[in-house]
């Protein structure tokens, strides 16, 4: 059931190791007080549960092999939960759709509440792998972060349920309301000012007065071509085709490029291996927290954003853009 034993990830780190590393800054801290919305339109106020129930959040995706393998464990946990444990399944929203989730729910007969994340929950709980388990005790503190559906998870769930509840005043210092985010950016908007550290140590400045060239931001995942070849073959083929298209167009030198890689199941070493394996020439940066993916509302890879020399976003495509070459020629001729 180890995700790392299949094609993904590129390095030898196991999913459990990645999840536990992601939990280093979370375990023991007060859980965020967020309001979730299920795919059926119902709301779940996490803050109203703290102090009364333990909470089990499972981040998953329909394309994720170990998520599917672990689904019987999630179903059993939900069925046996009782009044002292709230069980919530959170689809990560990455290269997934609500329609796919509904189809999977119907096929499997799932009964637990399901939330489709826009990336904000993944940020709040430091999502790094799928599945990723978050166990919150009745005292409102995060007690466990993991990847495997094993004895450690079961022990964490039991401890969270049996721990003495804490008055809600003890959780008052946690985050309230929905995660505050910078405004989303769409076509017609100006490229926001941000800087990104690339793999080669350089700094990419989104707004650079000295550069009067078109810019293309390429949102990608280093495991898209390999891992999704079986569960999402069309997406994997699209990732490969876009990589090849970008490689060809980027050699022309008239456009500025930046590849932005998702931090889900990827670290800098994974991204470096991907670059070396495919001889990628454009600068690459790892969006570890997912902030750029959320800022530009990117939930699918590959996604390309084209920005003109004045910094205006003029085109957005998912997958191969047949008009990309002519668009860049026209922008460079201005």
């Amino acid at each position: 059931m180890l995700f790392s034993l299949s094609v993904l990830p590129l390095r030898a780190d196991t999913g459990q190791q990645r999840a536990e590393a992601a939990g280093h800054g979370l375990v023991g801290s007060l859980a965020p007080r967020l309001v979730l919305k299920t795919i059926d339109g119902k709301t779940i106020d996490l803050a109203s549960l703290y102090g009364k129930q333990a909470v089990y959040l499972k981040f998953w995706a329909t394309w994720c092999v170990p998520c599917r393998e672990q689904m019987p464990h999630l179903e059993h946990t939900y069925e046996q939960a009782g009044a002292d444990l709230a069980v919530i399944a959170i689809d990560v929203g990455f290269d997934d759709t609500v329609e796919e989730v509904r189809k999977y729910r119907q096929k499997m007969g799932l009964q637990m509440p399901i939330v489709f994340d826009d990336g904000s929950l993944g940020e709040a709980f430091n999502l790094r792998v799928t599945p990723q388990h978050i166990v919150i005790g009745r005292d409102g503190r995060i007690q466990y972060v993991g990847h495997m559906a094993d004895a450690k998870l079961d022990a964490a769930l039991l401890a969270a349920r049996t721990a003495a509840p804490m008055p809600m005043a003890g959780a008052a210092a946690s985050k309230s309301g929905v995660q505050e985010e910078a405004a989303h950016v769409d076509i017609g908007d100006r490229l926001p000012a941000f800087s990104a550290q690339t793999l080669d140590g350089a700094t990419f400045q989104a707004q650079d007065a000295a550069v009067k060239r078109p810019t293309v931001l390429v949102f990608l995942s280093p495991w898209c071509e390999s891992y999704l070849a079986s569960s999402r073959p069309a997406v994997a083929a699209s990732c490969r085709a876009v990589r090849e298209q970008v490689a060809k167009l980027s050699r022309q030198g008239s456009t500025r490029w930046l590849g932005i890689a998702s931090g889900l199941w990827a670290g800098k070493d994974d991204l470096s291996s991907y670059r070396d394996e495919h001889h990628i020439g454009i600068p690459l940066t790892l969006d570890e927290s997912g902030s750029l993916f959320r800022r530009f509302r990117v939930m699918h890879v590959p996604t390309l954003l084209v920005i003109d020399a004045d910094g205006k976003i003029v085109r957005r495509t998912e997958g191969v853009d047949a008009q990309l070459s002519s668009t860049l020629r026209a922008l460079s001729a201005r």
Side-chain angles (χ1 to χ4, degrees), residues 72-195:
H73 179 276
L74 179 62
E75 290 182 273
H76 179 75
T77 302
Y78 175 74
E79 292 168 356
Q80 301 297 317
D84 58 354
L85 176 65
V87 178
I88 305 167
I90 302 175
D91 186 280
V92 299
F94 186 82
D95 268 327
D96 229 340
T97 65
V98 174
E99 290 72 25
E100 288 289 342
V101 174
R102 291 187 192 279
K103 284 166 44 179
Y104 185 80
R105 177 177 66 174
Q106 182 176 11
K107 176 183 177 181
M108 301 300 296
L110 303 180
Q111 299 298 316
M112 77 284 296
I114 299 177
V115 174
F116 193 82
D117 189 20
D118 64 356
S120 59
L121 296 177
E123 178 190 28
F125 291 100
N126 204 16
L127 180 66
R128 291 294 179 269
V129 294
T130 52
Q132 184 163 309
H133 313 292
I134 307 291
V135 179
I136 303 168
R138 288 198 291 169
D139 60 357
R141 293 185 180 274
I142 298 174
Q143 292 192 2
Y144 178 77
V145 178
H147 169 71
M148 299 294 293
D150 57 8
K152 291 180 68 173
L153 173 60
D154 290 336
L157 289 169
L158 178 62
R161 298 170 70 173
T162 57
M166 185 175 182
M168 284 309 296
S174 62
K175 299 177 183 178
S176 60
V178 179
Q179 290 282 104
E180 292 187 3
E181 287 246 7
H184 291 107
V185 183
D186 294 308
I187 292 178
D189 294 333
R190 181 171 175 78
L191 185 68
F194 71 85
S195 60

Side-chain angles (χ1 to χ4, degrees), residues 33-83:
R33 302 174 68 180
L34 303 174
V35 177
L36 315 184
K37 187 173 182 179
T38 72
I39 61 174
D40 298 314
K42 298 179 181 179
T43 59
I44 303 173
D45 185 354
L46 291 182
S48 70
L49 304 180
Y50 302 155
K52 302 174 185 176
Q53 293 176 281
V55 179
Y56 171 33
L57 305 177
K58 175 162 183 160
F59 287 87
W60 67 293
T62 63
W63 45 258
C64 165
V65 172
C67 297
R68 297 196 296 263
E69 292 173 340
Q70 292 183 17
M71 200 54 69
H73 179 276
L74 179 62
E75 290 182 273
H76 179 75
T77 302
Y78 175 74
E79 292 168 356
Q80 301 297 317

Side-chain angles (χ1 to χ4, degrees), residues 210-278:
V211 178
K212 297 295 291 184
R213 292 185 295 163
T215 299
V216 180
L217 303 181
V218 184
F219 289 85
L220 58 91
S221 170
W223 45 263
C224 175
E225 296 179 44
S226 54
Y227 185 77
L228 293 183
S230 57
S231 59
R232 290 287 190 275
V235 176
S238 179
C239 287
R240 180 177 63 254
V242 167
R243 173 176 57 78
E244 294 170 349
Q245 180 186 37
V246 168
K248 179 180 179 180
L249 294 178
S250 63
R251 297 190 191 104
Q252 298 174 5
S254 57
T255 301
R256 203 169 56 137
W257 299 81
L258 177 67
I260 302 173
S262 166
L264 182 64
W265 271 111
K268 289 184 178 179
D269 289 341
D270 302 305
L271 187 56
S272 296
S273 297
Y274 172 75
R275 176 195 60 188
D276 297 344
E277 177 184 359
H278 297 290

